[in-house]
Amino acid sequence: MAGILLVLLGTMGLLGWFGLGNFAHALTFPGRLTGAVLIAVAFTTLLAACAVLDHWVGHTFQYSGVVALMGVFLALLTDALLMLRTLKNGDLVVFPALLGALAAGAAWALFVVWRTSVTIPAPKRVAAALLVSSILAVANFGYQNLYLPYRREARPLITLSVGKAVLSKDRKAFAVPVDITLQNHADVGFYVLGTEVHAMGERVPLSPKDRLREQWRNDAEQFARSMGEMNPLSRREIHQPGELVEAKPWMSLGHWIEPGDAFATRMVMELPLDTRYDQVAFYASASLARKDQIVLESPLHFVGTSWGGGYVPKWVKDQQKIGLDSLLFTARLHENNAIDENTTKPRFVNVYWTFGAHGAILQSSITRKDEDDSSKLSGEEQRELVSRYGLVDLVAGPVERTLWDIKNQR
């Protein structure tokens, strides 16, 4: 009896702790529902503990054995499912070990209670009740851990448009307005981890005759080495590698955009009239994270640079050797439910603003506390991060603007 009570009360305490945390603080309805279920199971195990005392000592309730049997079965099922969840998502060994010990204890307790010749009224109804509760528990576990991570991802939309270039008063420079809009048509909000807009200057001389096939092949190799530039294959245009003209953020870090909301801004890129470029291509990007997947502990603060002070990972230092400069921003994040929050090591979101002579890009990653960010994730690991934390990278562009008409206005 003492062993069974220890298993039931231990299960009650652990499930009640997880359940109250989820019910009060989970960011999604399924998370709150899981909290309510855990609280109900914790209360059931408390009733089962009372029934065990009566079944062994008091003998005042005829069906106390049945109540104890059902409570022990629910404890076994819940402990086993939580153990699988913490093995899948958790980092701390103590919780899978504790839940595994409680599940094993509940299995033993189920056998012991059954051996006491429990009188079961309406066995078919009791079996049906146990079956239904098992199906509901397994269905909720599968919905939380199998369906939700691989559901259709929500993605906002970036639109980028370029206005008419305007000459300065002294007619020695011109400005190109760039309108950027972030529209969130999804039913969830998004944190803004980072944004950037950059302009690439391109020289595009024309060949007086059709170019040879070998020259087309050179164009293809040049495209393969570029940082996402979309230089076309052309019979007459001779596209040369683009050069970064200007890059800057267009939205504040750590802010968010709510469901159905939109954010619009206008940036201005300025160039001298005698610039050597024939065209300018504009790109805009944003790195986001779903508000129903994480809680971001603002602000995203600046950590360091690849060329100066502050800690940055080794792979960022290595990129510096090939001409790519990086800024690193980081912030603490919290899980969207109490179970994962208490069974995982502290995690941080890292945002890298990387730029060089041939473009600018945004990268985001999730790391554990005191873990080096290798940035060498496999495709499966990257998909897991996107599913679990709702990371979204958006890109708009290129939107190209020819400069021949502007340069001729002297």
Side-chain angles (χ1 to χ4, degrees):
M1 182 187 70
I4 296 173
L5 288 176
L6 181 63
V7 169
L8 289 174
L9 293 178
T11 298
M12 181 199 69
L14 191 59
L15 298 188
W17 180 44
F18 283 150
L20 288 173
N22 256 36
F23 187 75
H25 302 296
L27 300 181
T28 62
F29 173 75
R32 302 277 178 122
L33 179 61
T34 297
V37 170
L38 291 179
I39 292 172
V41 175
F43 181 71
T44 302
T45 56
L46 177 61
L47 292 179
C50 297
V52 167
L53 282 173
D54 185 75
H55 185 63
W56 258 268
V57 180
H59 307 291
T60 58
F61 182 54
Q62 180 181 0
Y63 300 118
S64 59
V66 177
V67 175
L69 191 68
M70 295 181 66
V72 170
F73 175 78
L74 286 177
L76 169 62
L77 181 63
T78 309
D79 287 339
L81 291 177
L82 278 179
M83 181 187 67
L84 293 176
R85 181 190 177 102
T86 54
L87 281 173
K88 177 178 181 290
N89 292 340
D91 301 318
L92 305 177
V93 178
V94 62
F95 286 99
L98 178 58
L99 288 165
L102 289 174
W108 166 79
L110 184 67
F111 176 75
V112 172
V113 175
W114 177 262
R115 287 290 301 271
T116 60
S117 301
V118 175
T119 302
I120 303 178
K124 292 183 178 179
R125 293 184 180 179
V126 173
L130 293 176
L131 180 61
V132 169
S133 63
S134 301
I135 292 174
L136 290 176
V138 172
N140 184 62
F141 177 83
Y143 180 75
Q144 281 274 72
N145 294 275
L146 300 177
Y147 172 71
L148 285 180
Y150 298 101
R151 65 184 173 178
R152 185 177 179 182
E153 295 295 333
R155 294 180 65 86
L157 176 67
I158 294 179
T159 55
L160 178 67
S161 61
V162 179
K164 183 179 180 181
V166 179
L167 284 173
S168 62
K169 289 184 178 180
D170 59 8
R171 305 184 68 83
K172 293 182 179 180
F174 62 93
V176 182
V178 180
D179 293 315
I180 307 170
T181 302
L182 176 62
Q183 296 175 310
N184 183 15
H185 298 298
D187 57 356
V188 296
F190 287 85
Y191 290 109
V192 179
L193 304 181
T195 60
E196 64 83 23
V197 57
H198 69 272
M200 301 294 294
E202 301 172 351
R203 284 172 286 184
V204 191
L206 298 178
S207 172
K209 59 182 180 180
D210 287 349
R211 303 165 68 224
L212 300 176
R213 185 178 183 184
E214 288 76 11
Q215 294 172 315
W216 284 43
R217 289 176 175 174
N218 289 336
D219 288 348
E221 293 176 359
Q222 175 181 296
F223 168 72
R225 292 191 296 267
S226 67
M227 290 181 56
E229 295 179 55
M230 301 181 67
N231 294 336
L233 301 179
S234 175
R235 295 170 66 99
R236 292 295 180 95
E237 293 180 342
I238 306 173
H239 281 264
Q240 300 178 8
E243 297 175 344
L244 182 63
V245 174
E246 189 172 355
K248 52 189 173 184
W250 50 271
M251 196 171 181
S252 298
L253 307 184
H255 287 206
W256 55 85
I257 181 169
E258 297 293 353
D261 202 358
F263 173 84
T265 187
R266 168 170 285 189
M267 313 299 288
V268 177
M269 302 291 187
E270 297 184 353
L271 286 171
L273 192 60
D274 59 354
T275 179
R276 62 182 182 275
Y277 304 121
D278 300 308
Q279 299 178 8
V280 177
F282 297 92
Y283 300 78
S285 62
S287 183
L288 311 175
R290 291 174 55 141
K291 286 185 67 180
D292 64 336
Q293 300 291 87
I294 66 170
V295 176
L296 190 65
E297 193 175 285
S298 296
L300 269 162
H301 60 275
F302 175 67
V303 175
T305 66
S306 58
W307 65 89
Y311 169 77
V312 293
K314 182 178 180 299
W315 66 270
V316 177
K317 294 288 188 182
D318 293 339
Q319 284 189 336
Q320 181 71 32
K321 299 175 183 177
I322 59 174
L324 293 179
D325 299 325
S326 295
L327 307 176
L328 171 58
F329 301 85
T330 190
R332 173 79 161 88
L333 68 83
H334 298 277
E335 305 284 343
N336 68 345
N337 65 88
I339 299 174
D340 290 341
E341 178 69 14
N342 290 290
T343 61
T344 58
K345 296 179 181 178
R347 279 173 162 78
F348 296 83
V349 58
N350 298 323
V351 182
Y352 300 93
W353 212 88
T354 301
F355 55 95
H358 299 295
I361 58 174
L362 276 174
Q363 302 176 77
S364 58
S365 65
I366 306 293
T367 56
R368 297 181 182 90
K369 186 178 182 180
D370 301 327
E371 177 185 56
D372 186 26
D373 186 1
S374 65
S375 188
K376 301 298 181 183
L377 298 177
S378 65
E380 181 62 31
E381 290 172 327
Q382 186 63 35
R383 285 191 294 272
E384 176 66 22
L385 278 180
V386 170
S387 298
R388 181 168 177 177
Y389 296 108
L391 300 182
V392 178
D393 291 322
L394 305 177
V395 178
V399 176
E400 294 187 329
R401 178 79 163 87
T402 61
L403 304 182
W404 295 316
D405 55 340
I406 298 296
K407 294 168 71 174
N408 288 332
Q409 296 182 35
R410 295 185 181 275

